[in-house]
Amino acid sequence: MRLLGGNEEQDVGDVLKRSFETALRRVRQRAPLLVAVTMAGGAVGLIGGLSPWMVALGAGLALILAALVSLEGDAAAEQGGVVIAPRAAVADLMGRWRAALDALPDPVIALDQSGAIVHINPAAREIYALLRPGGQPSLLSRDPIFLQAIDEVLEDGLQRTVEVQERVPIDRRVRLTLTAMAGTSTEAAAPRVVIALRDLTEQDRLGRMRADFVANASHELRTPLASLVGFIETLQGRASDDPVARGRFLGIMGQQAARMSRLVDDLLSLSRVEMREHVPPRAAIDLNETISVAVQALEPVARATGATLTFTPCDGPAVVLGETDEIMQVVQNLVQNALKYGAAGRPVAVTIRREARGPTSRLAVAVRDEGPGIPPEHLPRLTERFYRVSAKSSREKGGTGLGLAIVKHIINRHRGELRIESEPGKGSTFTFVIDEQARRPSLHV
Ligand SMILES: Nc1ncnc2c1ncn2[C@@H]1O[C@H](COP(=O)(O)OP(=O)(O)OP(=O)(O)O)[C@@H](O)[C@H]1O
Ligand SMILES: [Mg+2]
């Protein structure tokens, strides 16, 4: 015998078999409830003084009744193999896909059958503040390739990926992956296309930075290397019998080799500190002591330039969580810069001050020179690798342009802040600020 159910013709035997299996599955699922009802029925029978046969019959009837009630109370009715969920279940399902999209870290937007926005997850809302449910995806991008892709996905259900370049509100390149959502729900707000967005701007920037870095590093190495190769050839050729020229050339070659070795050291230093940047130092160190040692080590350099180098520690212990070697490297770089680029013979001052910040305090270490200063347009870029106000003057002074980049990464690792203040003609002050640790309890209190 055949039955017509939904759009399909079905075998009665099959339908009965499936119904029986479904009932059995649900009875199994509700086993604890059924056992409880049966036992209650049996107990009532016994207390009422009925015969064992009557008790068994009562318990059996209670079991069948409970099974029927449980089947009837089931939320979803199965018809012809298609599950038609009641309104409450649909609402629950809608809530669930929204919650799933909201949990994704990447920006995601869902469109309905008409191509209008039905949902924007928090990551997308953060970037595209203008998007609203009910709005059009053209608010996301007006690029015809993107808008056409939406129509195509709605039509053929195939996934598409497009890349668009946005100019407004800011320049950014975005990859959009459009995926069709098949569903049985007839709800108007059901998602039909899910659009996952990936902002490629940062990735592009990092790629450019890496390429620039390799180009800069090769260029910085190539210059002294070319000079070395040139002098070797000269020494092998016409200068081979000239002891005066040989002595002078070997001196220059020594300088160039030292320059290359300094560059390699700085590159290694930078990569080491970058690798450790996410692990803040744990040791408690006293900045008064550490910086005093660093400044003393630089006194001969200051004397050679005719400058006076002074150090003023702050009152009491100046304890921070820090790495002694790295703090010394920061002070060395800043003081060397002040001596190199400051006015010859003018003082260079290193001071530590305590800055109160609510219940906590921070320690500010400032290196001040009275040199020609730095024009304001250069200030934001000074900590970029290889960035120099004047590459020629820096190179002449033996600089590699990596000093402040190393300083910035070390201060980042210490969760501190680097401030650069400079006024052309008046000098520059480079200050780094690190959280002060609770003072060590004094033994004499
Ligand atoms: N105190 C200062 N006064 C004026 N200009 C400065 C000062 N400190 C840094 N600069 C400018 O900032 C640039 C970058 O400094 P940075 O320390 O990173 O590199 P460098 O000194 O050229 O080389 P390196 O420190 O690697 O030997 C310098 O080339 C210089 O132009
Ligand atoms: Mg420097």
Side-chain angles (χ1 to χ4, degrees):
M1 190 181 161
R2 318 290 293 170
L3 271 184
L4 280 178
N7 297 330
E8 290 172 43
E9 204 183 336
Q10 298 177 61
D11 190 281
V12 176
D14 273 358
V15 172
L16 281 177
K17 189 166 162 246
R18 269 211 309 275
S19 305
F20 178 72
E21 281 169 359
T22 311
L24 203 64
R25 200 172 58 240
R26 294 207 182 118
V27 168
R28 253 191 244 125
Q29 281 167 2
R30 290 169 175 78
L33 171 73
L34 300 181
V35 168
V37 172
T38 310
M39 283 175 67
V44 169
L46 276 174
I47 292 163
L50 298 178
S51 76
W53 283 110
M54 291 295 283
V55 170
L57 190 65
L61 280 174
L63 174 66
I64 291 166
L65 198 68
L68 285 177
V69 168
S70 107
L71 288 183
E72 206 160 291
D74 204 288
E78 286 189 21
Q79 293 185 358
V82 177
V83 178
I84 300 171
R87 294 204 66 77
V90 170
D92 183 39
L93 201 65
M94 298 292 279
R96 260 187 275 166
W97 71 257
R98 284 176 204 275
L101 295 189
D102 286 354
L104 294 174
D106 282 340
V108 178
I109 286 161
L111 308 182
D112 66 9
Q113 183 62 49
S114 72
I117 298 171
V118 280
H119 190 66
I120 307 145
N121 80 346
R125 247 174 286 153
E126 221 169 83
I127 307 176
Y128 299 95
L130 285 180
L131 293 183
R132 295 268 176 280
Q136 289 305 308
S138 52
L139 285 170
L140 189 71
S141 166
R142 306 181 76 84
D143 195 316
I145 298 175
F146 167 60
L147 300 176
Q148 192 186 334
I150 297 176
D151 292 342
E152 287 170 359
V153 173
L154 277 169
E155 204 171 299
D156 62 17
L158 296 176
Q159 191 182 63
R160 278 174 183 74
T161 299
V162 293
E163 281 179 13
V164 297
Q165 182 81 44
E166 291 303 311
R167 301 265 170 246
V168 187
I170 52 162
D171 231 345
R172 80 179 135 211
R173 193 166 73 92
V174 184
R175 179 182 297 151
L176 303 130
T177 305
L178 297 86
T179 310
M181 292 269 287
T184 53
S185 169
T186 52
E187 283 286 308
R192 285 290 178 259
V193 180
V194 170
I195 305 174
L197 297 107
R198 171 144 296 183
D199 194 337
L200 303 174
T201 323
E202 183 62 10
Q203 184 182 315
D204 291 351
R205 196 182 65 83
L206 289 176
R208 261 196 318 274
M209 264 176 65
R210 211 176 0 244
D212 284 354
F213 176 67
V214 173
N216 279 325
S218 322
H219 176 75
E220 290 298 322
L221 280 170
R222 209 169 40 205
T223 316
L225 199 59
S227 144
L228 276 180
V229 171
F231 282 119
I232 290 171
E233 280 168 5
T234 316
L235 284 174
Q236 282 170 335
R238 61 192 158 81
S240 57
D241 299 327
D242 182 346
V244 180
R246 198 167 49 221
R248 197 164 64 83
F249 291 167
L250 282 174
I252 301 172
M253 288 167 75
Q255 280 170 11
Q256 298 298 336
R259 184 169 149 65
M260 284 169 64
S261 139
R262 210 170 34 240
L263 181 64
V264 171
D265 285 349
D266 280 355
L267 285 173
L268 286 176
S269 209
L270 190 58
S271 106
R272 245 196 322 268
V273 63
E274 265 188 315
M275 264 186 325
R276 289 192 298 188
E277 201 167 319
H278 63 285
V279 192
R282 290 165 168 275
I285 59 166
D286 191 322
L287 284 186
N288 281 339
E289 287 165 21
T290 311
I291 293 176
S292 156
V293 174
V295 171
Q296 274 169 34
L298 286 161
E299 257 155 21
V301 187
R303 261 199 305 277
T305 64
T308 43
L309 180 58
T310 58
F311 171 55
T312 316
C314 78
D315 303 336
V319 182
V320 297
L321 292 183
E323 181 104 23
T324 305
D325 287 350
E326 290 187 352
I327 295 291
M328 287 181 73
Q329 200 176 356
V330 167
V331 175
Q332 265 165 12
N333 277 330
L334 296 181
V335 172
Q336 271 169 358
N337 279 354
L339 294 171
K340 258 197 294 189
Y341 307 110
R346 302 296 302 160
V348 170
V350 182
T351 52
I352 307 184
R353 269 185 307 108
R354 184 169 285 111
E355 285 182 356
R357 203 173 60 156
T360 60
S361 55
R362 306 204 298 172
L363 292 166
V365 181
V367 178
R368 166 153 186 77
D369 67 65
E370 296 181 5
I374 306 161
E377 65 272 21
H378 294 287
L379 296 181
R381 299 196 58 191
L382 281 190
T383 56
E384 285 176 21
R385 296 146 190 222
F386 298 112
Y387 189 86
R388 290 171 282 204
V389 174
S390 155
K392 187 168 166 280
S393 118
S394 159
R395 259 193 223 114
E396 278 165 12
K397 291 172 174 151
T400 61
L402 292 173
L404 288 178
I406 295 173
V407 165
K408 187 189 77 178
H409 285 288
I410 293 179
I411 299 304
N412 283 351
R413 186 180 173 222
H414 285 71
R415 307 296 181 255
E417 185 195 333
L418 178 69
R419 297 179 196 147
I420 308 177
E421 292 146 305
S422 186
E423 224 182 303
K426 295 209 170 152
S428 315
T429 306
F430 286 73
T431 309
F432 64 91
V433 190
I434 304 182
D435 283 345
E436 184 176 19
Q437 290 306 298
R439 298 201 193 173
R440 275 184 289 213
S442 166
L443 295 174
H444 307 292
V445 177

